[in-house]
Structures are given as structure tokens and as C-alpha cells.
Amino acid sequence: MKLNYKIIFHFFGLLCLFNGGFMLLSTLISLIYEDGVTLNLFAAGIIVLILGGISMYLTKNHKKELNKRDGYIVVAFGWIVMALTGTLPYLITGSIPSFTNAFFETMSGYTTTGASILNDIESIPKGVLFWRSMTHWIGGMGIIVLAIAILPLLGIGGMQLFAAEAPGPNADKLHPRITDTAKRLWLIYFGYTAAETILLQVAGMSFFDAINHSLSTLSTGGFSTKNSSIAHWNGQPIIQYIIMAFMFLAGTNFILSYFAFKGRVQKVIRDEEFKLYFKFIALFTIIAAFIIYFRADFSISSIEHPMVLGKAEASIRHGLFQVLAIVTTTGFVTADYTLWTPFLVVFFFGLMFLGGSAGSTSGGVKVVRHMLMIKNGFLEFKRALHPNAILPVRYNKKSVSGDIVFNILGFFILYMLSFIIGALVFSMFQIDFESAIGLSASSLGNVGPALGDFGPVNNYSELPNLGKWWSAFLMLIGRLELFTVLILLTPFFWRNR
């Protein structure tokens, strides 16, 4: 089975057109706020649009057939193409003159990791900051899902792409036609973004801050327009509660949101993954709030504003916020949680491996995978006692095939191996143990804040250049669920069979 290079590059051209179009939208923001880089952003957008147009024109006579191997290449290399072209607004405006730093920031944006190399975010032109947040929003639901919504215009079916891009093992569909599914998901995604923008503005944020934080929240990204992230609004709890509500929604399966809007609330309530996700959030919040209330010293916790509603409320709010920010892999911070006792440091580190729901914009392993591994683990005890019994793993009262269970176990093993190898490579750059394991877990899980020298109140600017490239690679394989990228490194993938 030979690769269809023409359709692959045709698709890369299409992605560049998307990228260039969103850059021009950032140009409009720059023009409105008169930040001095309007022409630079316009030039970046035009260059990317021209590249995309040339690529599509040269490959217009492609075969309208996309096989599975083509799909893997389009997804994996498509993200790299987006990241490479996405560096132009930073480079041309001079906001991030280093290509390595610009690529890191862009890859962190598209993979919704939220790790940054910027030391003074508030000094960056508003048009560039909007582009930075927009990379989150594009990557959040998946640039491929966005693209397949218009593939019928090209006469191409997009099922292969959705299989490679869709986050998590959940294959539930809203509609038999995959393009209709993509459109419905993006409509919900856009609606949530607009709703959060309005609510944040009503709560006291400026329109610019509100829309940027909405773009970051719904994508579970974490880029902020403020150096102190959401801690900037510690004196306005309502803003933090709004962001928490939308972080929770962004971490749930978007298909469940669709069912809820259609009035099928019982389907949402009965969903096993959603119930476990909710229970995890509640339990972890109780633990964190309890420790914060009795053990954390608020005077050293980067909580700069007076406690508006008392210590109990502040403990619950900061505990819930950080649990949601890490479990959903959003990465916003309201305080330096590394100062909240060693127990909470280890606790939050462990949460980096959880992830949100399948079908959400979260990174990480995903709740459904943990749930099915736990169920299978308990069944192994029963199988040991009753070796001849047929005991299938069940999810939402349906049997899960053995292939899916083996795939999940294989994914988890590969994920942990990637984490260990990631930490080992970081340690080669003279990075201490705590920082190395934090960097590896955070990059692979697309969380953002790490531990040690790269904790929640620091950034990645001090990471060596090779370390930034390695971190970007971990972000990519983590965002695309390992197999999609790592399969390209196997020799049998490239054999013409």
C-alpha cells in the first residue's frame, strides 16, 4: 500500500490556510488595540496563506482516497507543519526572536500544554498574545477535526483522520457522518467559549483578558495574559469560579455535552466515566482543601490578596482550582502549590497522570483508561479463582472487547516508559531529579506547570535548547496519544505492503 503523497501535501496546504486565516484574525485584534505589530502579523498570515495555496494548487490532481497510513502521517506531520508555520508571528514581530523558543511556545500552544518561555507576558503585544491563545483553541479540539468538517467539499472522506486524532478510546458518535460529528463538536466548543467570555467580562475581566482566558480554558491549555496567571484575580473569587466551571466542562466528554443540550440528561448521569471523573474531582478537592486549611501557610502561598470569604472558602477554592487545573491538564495556577506541604506536591504530581475524560480536550492518560484498567485488575483476582469463567470487562453495561483492554494496557505501559525515558533525557541536561520528573510528566501529560525549577510560578525559559526540543516532542506524542506518532518511528510502517 503506497503512500498517497499528493493528498498528504494537499492536506498540509489546507492546514496552512487555516493557520494563515487565524493569523489574520490576530491581525485584526492588533489593529483594534494599536499594539504596533499589525503589519508584521499581516505579513505572517499572508506568507502562510501563500504557502498553503501553493501546496494545494500543486497537488490539486490527487487521488481522493485516504488510507490509514496516510491518515497517521497527516495527523502527526500536520501538527508539526502547524507548529512550524505558527512560529512566524513570534519571529516576525520579534516577540520571540529565537526559533527554538518560538517553536517551543507554538508547540506548547497547539498541544494545549501551556508551558511558556516568556518571562514578561504582559509586555507582549496584544495581537501576539491573542495568536498565542488562538493556538490553544485551534489545537484544543483538534485541528484535524476542524479540517474534516469541510472535507466533503474536496471529495475526501475523513474517517481515517478522526480515528487517528480523536482523543481517547471512546468511539461514540453523534451522527453517522463523521463531518457532521465534527461540526456539532465545534459548535459546542465555540458556544462554550463565547459563554465563558461573556461571563468573565460581566465578572470584571476586560474583554481582551476574558476572550484569551476563554480560549485557553476550553482548550485546557493554560496560557494567560498575566504573569501571575489566574492568581492575578485572587481578590475576585467569582472569576475563578467561572473558570473552574468551564475547566470542568472542558474536561468532560464533549459528546455528553451534546446529549445534555438535546435533553438526554439521563445518558450523561449514567455514564460511568463521567461519574468517576466527578467523584475523582470531589475526593481530590476534599483532600487538597483539608491539607491547605490545616497545614498550608497562606502567608507564603502566593495568595497575595486578602481572603475575601475566609480561610475555609479560600482553602476549598484554591484546592478545587488546582485539582481541576491539573486533572483537566489546563495548568492555570492561583498559587504556588509547591509551597503547600510536601504531601500536596507529591499529590499534585500524581494527578498529572490522570487526565480528563475521553472525548474532551484534556491531555493525560484519561479517566476511562484508568477505570478499565482497575476493572480488569479486579477481574484478574476472580479469574485466578475461577479460571474457566468468562468474565468480560464492562463499560456502561456493555462488554469491552479484549482487544480494547489490551490496547489500553499497552498504552499505559508505553506511557510510563515514555515518562521514564523522558525524565532520563532531561537529567542528561544537568537537571535535578525533582525538576526532571516534573518536566517529563508535565510535557507528556500536556499539563504545563511542573515541579522544582519549572514549577507553577516559574517558566521553561531556563531549560536548555535541546531540553526544549525534547519537551516539545513529549508534548506532541502526549497530545496525539503516543501511537499516532510513535508508529511513524517503526520500520514496518514505511514498507510498501
Side-chain angles (χ1 to χ4, degrees):
M1 189 186 299
K2 291 185 178 181
L3 291 172
N4 187 349
Y5 289 104
K6 279 195 173 183
I7 196 173
I8 290 170
F9 280 93
H10 194 80
F11 208 94
F12 289 165
L14 181 63
L15 294 178
C16 285
L17 292 184
F18 275 122
N19 232 10
F22 283 117
M23 285 179 196
L24 294 184
L25 183 60
S26 302
T27 301
L28 182 62
I29 297 295
S30 174
L31 182 64
I32 292 170
Y33 286 97
E34 299 179 345
D35 60 6
V37 295
T38 305
L39 290 177
N40 305 73
L41 285 173
F42 182 76
I46 293 299
I47 290 170
V48 177
L49 284 173
I50 290 172
L51 287 174
I54 291 172
S55 182
M56 292 191 75
Y57 178 77
L58 293 177
T59 57
K60 62 182 178 180
N61 295 320
H62 60 271
K63 292 181 182 177
K64 293 180 177 159
E65 180 185 347
L66 194 70
N67 61 48
K68 202 164 187 178
R69 288 207 305 168
D70 296 335
Y72 280 116
I73 290 175
V74 166
V75 172
F77 284 100
W79 281 75
I80 295 171
V81 167
M82 292 289 277
L84 286 171
T85 55
T87 61
L88 288 182
Y90 298 122
L91 296 172
I92 294 178
T93 62
S95 301
I96 305 178
S98 162
F99 176 73
T100 294
N101 286 343
F103 183 83
F104 178 91
E105 197 81 9
T106 312
M107 183 61 80
S108 179
Y110 282 122
T111 58
T112 71
T113 304
S116 180
I117 51 83
L118 294 173
N119 290 309
D120 186 6
I121 296 167
E122 294 170 38
S123 68
I124 301 296
K126 281 184 165 57
V128 178
L129 284 182
F130 183 80
W131 167 247
R132 182 170 172 261
S133 300
M134 187 56 73
T135 59
H136 268 345
W137 200 73
I138 299 167
M141 188 61 109
I143 50 176
I144 309 303
V145 177
L146 170 65
I148 64 174
I150 67 163
L151 275 181
L153 300 175
L154 306 175
I156 303 168
M159 189 63 203
Q160 297 91 334
L161 293 179
F162 191 81
E165 164 65 15
N170 194 332
D172 201 357
K173 305 272 193 311
L174 308 183
H175 193 276
R177 292 183 63 190
I178 197 67
T179 51
D180 290 332
T181 296
K183 289 172 185 175
R184 283 164 173 78
L185 292 177
W186 269 95
L187 186 62
I188 294 168
Y189 191 55
F190 180 83
Y192 278 155
T193 306
E196 186 185 358
T197 300
I198 294 167
L199 289 172
L200 287 176
Q201 197 174 3
V202 170
M205 269 193 184
S206 69
F207 173 75
F208 181 77
D209 289 335
I211 193 170
N212 275 274
H213 285 91
S214 298
L215 294 172
S216 292
T217 304
L218 267 303
S219 62
T220 64
F223 280 155
S224 176
T225 56
K226 303 296 181 185
N227 292 326
S228 54
S229 188
I230 309 302
H232 183 85
W233 291 278
N234 275 343
Q236 296 168 272
I238 184 63
I239 286 177
Q240 296 177 350
Y241 281 118
I242 291 169
I243 291 173
M244 281 189 269
F246 283 94
M247 278 198 291
F248 180 82
L249 288 173
T252 60
N253 190 332
F254 273 72
I255 291 174
L256 293 182
S257 290
Y258 175 81
F259 290 139
F261 287 128
K262 295 290 285 185
R264 300 166 65 181
V265 180
Q266 286 298 319
K267 191 170 179 68
V268 179
I269 296 172
R270 291 173 183 167
D271 186 81
E272 287 188 53
E273 184 187 29
F274 178 77
K275 288 191 288 187
L276 187 60
Y277 170 67
F278 183 84
K279 289 174 183 176
F280 275 157
I281 297 295
L283 175 62
F284 297 151
T285 298
I286 291 169
I287 294 170
F290 184 85
I291 299 295
I292 293 169
Y293 185 85
F294 288 104
R295 299 294 301 275
D297 185 351
F298 276 81
S299 65
I300 63 168
S301 296
S302 301
I303 301 176
E304 301 166 359
H305 299 274
M307 285 174 285
V308 180
L309 300 175
K311 187 176 180 181
E313 183 277 334
S315 299
I316 294 170
R317 172 161 47 92
H318 288 287
L320 175 60
F321 192 98
Q322 289 312 142
V323 166
L324 279 168
I326 294 175
V327 168
T328 65
T329 71
T330 308
F332 282 140
V333 293
T334 58
D336 186 357
Y337 55 75
T338 61
L339 300 177
W340 286 350
T341 76
F343 173 83
L344 283 180
V345 174
V346 177
F347 179 71
F348 288 135
F349 172 71
L351 294 187
M352 291 181 185
F353 294 89
L354 183 58
S357 305
S360 73
T361 57
S362 299
V365 176
K366 303 292 192 305
V367 172
V368 68
R369 285 196 179 100
H370 287 286
M371 180 176 65
L372 293 178
M373 283 191 294
I374 292 168
K375 284 188 173 187
N376 187 65
F378 278 111
L379 284 177
E380 285 299 328
F381 291 123
K382 291 185 179 180
R383 290 172 185 141
L385 292 174
H386 309 285
N388 295 322
I390 298 174
L391 301 168
V393 176
R394 294 188 179 276
Y395 173 61
N396 286 338
K397 299 182 180 179
K398 295 179 182 177
S399 296
V400 178
S401 73
D403 289 342
I404 292 177
V405 174
F406 288 134
N407 179 279
I408 289 171
L409 293 173
F411 174 88
F412 187 73
I413 292 168
L414 192 58
Y415 192 94
M416 296 311 295
L417 279 173
S418 299
F419 161 68
I420 293 167
I421 293 170
L424 283 171
V425 173
F426 280 125
S427 68
M428 292 170 61
F429 304 125
Q430 305 302 310
I431 295 171
D432 64 89
F433 174 75
E434 182 183 0
S435 300
I437 62 171
L439 280 169
S440 185
S442 180
S443 299
L444 192 61
N446 307 130
V447 179
L451 302 176
D453 296 335
F454 307 94
V457 296
N458 301 314
N459 59 33
Y460 286 52
S461 61
E462 296 303 314
L463 191 63
N465 281 347
L466 285 176
K468 288 169 185 168
W469 285 101
W470 179 244
S471 177
F473 173 72
L474 292 178
M475 291 177 197
L476 180 65
I477 66 171
R479 179 63 180 86
L480 296 181
E481 309 249 325
L482 304 182
F483 294 121
T484 308
V485 179
L486 296 182
I487 195 173
L488 302 181
L489 304 180
T490 59
F492 57 80
F493 178 86
W494 299 98
R495 291 176 190 150
N496 290 323
R497 288 184 181 177

